[in-house]
Amino acid sequence: MIAIRRVALPERVVDDLEELTARIPPGDTKEARRLWRVSRAVRRSLRAGLDVMAAGRGYCMYCGDGLGSTVDHFEPIARNPGRAFDWLNHVLACEYCNSHHKRDLFPVDEDGNSLLIDPTAEDPLEHLFLVLSIGTYRALTAKGEQTIKVCGLNRAQLARGRETAVNQVSALVLGWWAARELGDDGKRRAMVWTLLDQPHADVLHAMLRQAEMPGARAVFRVDDELIKLLRAPELAEDLQLSGGAV
């Protein structure tokens, strides 16, 4: 899971969302679901905005592996129908995360505050630590613990995918540097594009973050050369210029 920058919607879409919200009677889950179901044009506009925000080719904002196929309500309609058309309450999710894991689950603390990480409003790496050597998350906070559980972030297929992604990112970073040293701008850009386009963007983000930690070599078992390249300001600049949220 990575931090996602939320974009602004066109004014006409904002107006439509406000009008639809005003039509939902307080607490009326049934009407909120009906309006959501029939408002196809609005749903398409929301999806378009989320596609712009999502990593790579529109990967799920929870697992980062599957392509986002559904617009998910972060706080479910069943809990808060008044947020059915709240732009700040929508994320892009794959069918597996939406239907088999998160569903209508929304744990809260004793004060009613969410215990799920909203990747569009906070940095998940403040609550989660990705153990790159085995591809699983370790919770740093109660919010991290609940997010791992509810979103199934440590399911076996995701852990395996992240392990593979560590090797892919390492190879691409080395290829990026070699292309840069040779002055091959086309290949350099291709390496950056592939880094940003592949699934499991959380692996790239975690490697960049952990490379700055003391004892980085022991943290995720890579050599000093790769750590040096991950720390290189030129890499960060290339990723930012290519639109990467790193």
Side-chain angles (χ1 to χ4, degrees):
M1 184 178 282
I2 65 171
I4 302 289
R5 297 190 185 112
R6 190 170 289 277
V7 301
L9 294 174
E11 187 175 345
R12 61 173 180 77
V13 179
V14 173
D15 291 343
D16 288 341
L17 294 174
E18 291 177 352
E19 189 272 331
L20 286 162
T21 299
R23 290 168 57 185
I24 302 172
D28 194 334
T29 300
K30 184 176 180 180
E31 180 62 7
R33 290 190 188 280
R34 187 193 70 81
L35 286 172
W36 178 256
R37 187 173 61 254
V38 301
S39 301
R40 294 183 180 85
V42 167
R43 294 205 313 270
R44 285 195 296 270
S45 296
L46 293 172
R47 172 61 190 265
L50 293 170
D51 281 339
V52 171
M53 293 162 52
R57 286 165 283 169
Y59 291 108
C60 175
M61 294 177 180
Y62 295 127
C63 72
D65 182 27
L67 292 175
S69 57
T70 61
V71 177
D72 180 54
H73 293 88
F74 179 71
E75 184 175 10
I77 291 177
R79 173 182 168 83
N80 191 346
R83 297 196 71 193
F85 295 96
D86 180 357
W87 171 229
L88 301 182
N89 193 42
H90 297 110
V91 298
L92 191 64
C94 67
E95 187 67 30
Y96 197 87
C97 282
N98 197 20
S99 300
H100 296 276
H101 285 278
K102 183 175 177 289
R103 297 166 291 171
D104 281 342
L105 299 175
F106 194 74
V108 296
D109 63 19
E110 58 186 12
D111 297 318
N113 298 312
S114 172
L115 281 175
L116 288 183
I117 299 168
D118 180 353
T120 71
E122 54 196 318
D123 184 356
L125 294 183
E126 293 181 1
H127 304 279
L128 300 166
F129 182 86
L130 182 54
V131 184
L132 291 161
S133 60
I134 55 176
T136 60
Y137 277 107
R138 176 165 56 85
L140 301 177
T141 65
K143 182 175 281 192
E145 182 179 359
Q146 287 297 317
T147 301
I148 291 171
K149 179 181 178 181
V150 170
C151 297
L153 294 184
N154 281 343
R155 54 190 189 262
Q157 61 268 43
L158 293 182
R160 289 195 300 270
R162 295 186 193 113
E163 284 186 85
T164 300
V166 171
N167 295 329
Q168 292 172 335
V169 169
S170 299
L172 288 165
V173 170
L174 292 171
W176 163 83
W177 182 255
R180 186 178 183 278
E181 289 291 280
L182 291 171
D184 188 340
D185 290 343
K187 187 173 182 180
R188 191 190 91 230
R189 286 192 296 270
M191 293 293 177
V192 170
W193 183 88
T194 306
L195 275 168
L196 295 173
D197 186 64
Q198 68 172 3
H200 298 297
D202 51 349
V203 169
L204 172 61
H205 285 239
M207 289 177 72
L208 291 168
R209 182 78 62 93
Q210 293 178 30
E212 300 295 334
M213 297 172 58
R217 183 175 184 179
V219 170
F220 58 104
R221 302 175 186 174
V222 297
D223 59 32
D224 292 334
E225 180 186 7
L226 181 59
I227 291 170
K228 179 182 177 181
L229 297 183
L230 288 167
R231 291 173 174 172
E234 296 90 347
L235 177 60
E237 182 180 355
D238 269 10
L239 290 170
Q240 291 286 355
L241 288 174
S242 299
V246 297

